[in-house]
Amino acid sequence: MPTLLYLQKLPEPLVERLRSAAPGWEIHTGTRDDLPPELYRSAEIICGWNRKQAEELLHEEARLRWIHTPSTGVDYLPLEQLQQRGVLLSNSKGVHAIPVAETTLGLMLALARQIDLSIRNQGKHLWKPGKNPLVLHGKTIGIVGTGQIGRELARIAQALGMRTLGVYHSNKPEQHFDEAGDMDYLDTLLKESDYVVNILPLTDQSRGLFNADLFRRMKSSAFFINVGRGPSVHTDDLVQALRDGTIAGAGLDVTDPEPLPEDHPLWDLGNLVLTPHIAGDSDENQERVLELFLDNLKFYLQEGKLKHNQVRYDREY
């Protein structure tokens, strides 16, 4: 009997939907610590990933044929080994577009309206308004990464009266961007944007992309927002840019390293807002990931391949 592992605790109605979609399969659900190690070598399909059991999943006798990730990014997986074994890989691209876009907007508003300063003063019992809070209306947002998250963010930004610029990797976006270009357009975006938002996946090309040189190309009044991946930013360069006023401030949902060590200088910067990698979280994620997985599962069982969201190993996303 083929085995499917779904590495989340699901309520019984959702478990029943899994069983109905894959009759004749042995299905196990639960957290990575709930499931016994011996199940991993026998699994043909796994939704999620367990670093502790990677040796079992990649064993020469393992039956693994398809991995689906509840996340959009796949940089934490052993991509080269999975490709060599011919394992199909899919992600949950699209599921997180709304919460990530809303979190990005929240970071932008916190910095513009100085809400972060008010929260810090609240803890000190200080009634101390900030100086010259900004409005987003009329400002320019530059979105580096114009996939589903970038397009949703651009849609919201336009509704707020912002000018939207975008840098894309493959396909030029058709909606919600006033201007967009490929990576050659990045320099223009940096020079003209009041908010520069990174939503790129982590690849060899994006690793360390945002460094001192790029921060110097931004307006000194501009803010940098990272909801992509921490290692796409050279952290020491960002710290220096925030300290010396090269840029006005930053909002980070991801960092490098992550989690951030207690003694890291990012904690103490007054022009920085931090959230602990929660941008993609929402009360709707569990069911939306399952819906996407079930759609692919039914197609996989019929055709032996995936219907959508298949990751290209050569692109790393």
Side-chain angles (χ1 to χ4, degrees):
M1 181 181 294
T3 300
L4 184 156
L5 305 184
Y6 199 96
L7 300 186
Q8 273 191 0
K9 284 185 177 179
L10 297 176
E12 189 56 35
L14 297 187
V15 175
E16 189 54 42
R17 291 185 63 189
L18 270 176
R19 295 192 183 112
S20 298
W25 280 64
E26 182 179 341
I27 294 175
H28 298 269
T29 66
T31 67
R32 289 169 289 198
D33 295 329
D34 290 338
L35 302 179
E38 57 268 19
L39 284 176
Y40 287 88
R41 192 179 298 191
S42 64
E44 179 177 334
I45 300 172
I46 180 170
C47 180
W49 182 251
N50 189 341
R51 287 188 178 93
K52 293 180 180 178
Q53 302 302 332
E55 186 174 338
E56 291 297 316
L57 288 164
L58 297 171
H59 193 277
E60 60 181 11
E61 296 179 2
R63 299 176 183 177
L64 185 63
R65 294 294 175 268
W66 169 31
I67 296 173
H68 180 82
T69 69
S71 60
T72 301
V74 296
D75 49 277
Y76 58 91
L77 295 171
L79 298 179
E80 185 175 344
Q81 292 169 279
L82 293 173
Q83 182 180 22
Q84 289 173 352
R85 293 181 60 85
V87 175
L88 296 171
L89 177 61
S90 58
N91 65 11
S92 295
K93 180 176 63 175
V95 167
H96 310 94
I98 291 174
V100 174
E102 290 184 357
T103 301
T104 304
L105 178 62
L107 291 170
M108 292 167 59
L109 284 168
L111 291 161
R113 303 304 303 164
Q114 301 174 5
I115 297 170
D116 60 318
L117 176 62
S118 295
I119 292 172
R120 289 170 180 144
N121 286 338
Q122 180 182 348
K124 301 173 185 176
H125 297 194
L126 288 178
W127 187 277
K128 187 178 180 182
K131 295 181 179 179
N132 300 321
L134 306 173
V135 294
L136 299 186
H137 185 275
K139 301 297 193 301
T140 297
I141 182 173
I143 301 171
V144 186
T146 59
Q148 294 186 52
I149 297 171
R151 292 194 296 273
E152 175 63 14
L153 177 59
R155 182 189 69 80
I156 297 171
Q158 283 191 332
L160 291 172
M162 300 187 75
R163 176 177 175 235
T164 56
L165 311 180
V167 164
Y168 57 86
H169 185 267
S170 51
N171 298 318
K172 184 176 182 178
E174 298 178 0
Q175 291 182 311
H176 308 309
F177 284 90
D178 296 307
E179 294 179 21
D182 59 18
M183 288 301 291
D184 291 337
Y185 183 71
L186 179 59
D187 189 58
T188 299
L189 180 148
L190 294 172
K191 291 177 179 177
E192 297 187 9
S193 297
D194 300 295
Y195 296 85
V196 175
V197 181
N198 173 46
I199 316 180
L200 291 174
L202 185 62
T203 66
D204 288 342
Q205 289 71 39
S206 66
R207 187 179 297 274
L209 174 66
F210 291 91
N211 56 21
D213 178 53
L214 264 65
F215 294 132
R216 281 193 294 268
R217 292 191 234 168
M218 291 171 58
K219 298 179 181 179
S220 60
S221 58
F223 297 92
F224 174 70
I225 311 290
N226 189 15
V227 290
R229 282 293 185 263
S232 59
V233 177
H234 193 292
T235 303
D236 291 345
D237 289 357
L238 176 60
V239 170
Q240 191 60 43
L242 291 170
R243 281 176 170 168
D244 63 20
T246 301
I247 59 175
L252 307 178
D253 183 61
V254 290
T255 61
D256 182 29
E258 189 176 301
L260 204 60
E262 290 184 10
D263 60 349
H264 199 280
L266 282 175
W267 289 113
D268 300 315
L269 293 172
N271 53 349
L272 173 68
V273 178
L274 284 170
T275 52
H277 205 150
I278 58 168
D281 296 348
S282 86
D283 56 344
E284 300 177 353
N285 279 10
Q286 186 179 73
E287 192 157 352
R288 294 188 68 197
V289 169
L290 180 65
E291 289 285 352
L292 177 61
F293 177 74
L294 287 175
D295 197 26
N296 252 345
L297 176 61
K298 293 171 185 175
F299 197 79
Y300 173 86
L301 295 178
Q302 292 173 357
E303 306 291 338
K305 54 186 178 180
L306 303 181
K307 184 178 180 181
H308 42 221
N309 279 35
Q310 182 166 348
V311 172
R312 285 183 51 174
Y313 285 107
D314 60 329
R315 289 186 177 179
E316 302 178 77
Y317 64 91

